[in-house]
Amino acid sequence: MLELYGHPFSSYTWKARIALLANNTPHVLKMVDPGHPDNSAFVAVAHPAGKFPVLKDGDTIVIESSAIIEYLALTHPGDAPLIPSDPDDAVAARMLDRVFDNYVMAPTTEIVLAHMAEATDPAVIEGASASLLRAYGWLENWFEGNLLPAHFSLASCAAAPSLFYADWVCPIPDACARVKGLRAELLSYQPVIHCIDEARPYRKLFPPGAPDRD
Ligand SMILES: N[C@@H](CCC(=O)N[C@@H](CS)C(=O)NCC(=O)O)C(=O)O
């Protein structure tokens, strides 16, 4: 049985979990939290920065959500085209994965961390919000001429959690209707609904405060 070390409220855990769920790949979620010190100790050694998710498949340990999805596509393939077979689509999936992680999730995390700091620095929030709006604009333009590879690919696995949380800290403007639409569409799929529902009990812990929706 595959083991995914992570936490139900963690965006990058969602990313790997969506890939597992989309392919009905049997796995267990090994909670990384203060209540499970052995799991936290495992992650602390497995990842150079102690970050999760971490996948354990027998003796094989894979870290970093994108690499986990690449590994699943190779070793536990299913109906979901995690890495599209068309090479151009595979490039698009990998490119969008980087865009969602680096330019949507990263500024979202910056805003969350700013709210967790002893004194919230409004300049950090302003800068990260500007980065998010720029990323939304880039995506909106990209989707004008290109299609997201078919679900669930590496790109949709990265898009779902990053757009979910980004919209909480910096709402996607109406001018970015395609990005807004993609978020809504992703939130309607069972693997994403599963992650959202599993994370619900932790919403009260969301540092800027979780909105009363989704
Ligand atoms: N690049 C990593 C990012 C992982 C990451 O930032 N994970 C967060 C949870 S969403 C984490 O481990 N936070 C705890 C920590 O940094 O100690 C990936 O794609 O897996």
Side-chain angles (χ1 to χ4, degrees), residues 10-13 15 47 49-53 63-66 101:
S10 138
S11 55
Y12 288 103
T13 302
K15 186 175 147 187
H47 190 282
K51 289 183 186 287
F52 43 88
I63 61 166
E64 292 290 302
S65 54
S66 303
D101 276 15

Side-chain angles (χ1 to χ4, degrees), residues 10-23:
S10 138
S11 55
Y12 288 103
T13 302
W14 281 28
K15 186 175 147 187
R17 195 100 197 276
I18 289 167
L20 288 160
L21 293 167
N23 270 333

Side-chain angles (χ1 to χ4, degrees), residues 4-8 29-40 202:
L4 185 72
Y5 289 75
H7 191 279
L29 180 68
K30 303 278 277 185
M31 284 285 279
V32 178
D33 67 4
H36 299 82
D38 289 358
N39 295 348
S40 305
Y202 303 95

Side-chain angles (χ1 to χ4, degrees), residues 4 14 34 39 46 51 60 78-79 82 97 147 160 173 192 204 208 214:
L4 185 72
W14 281 28
N39 295 348
K51 289 183 186 287
T60 305
D79 289 344
L82 298 178
D97 170 62
L147 289 174
V192 181
K204 54 185 177 299
D214 299 323

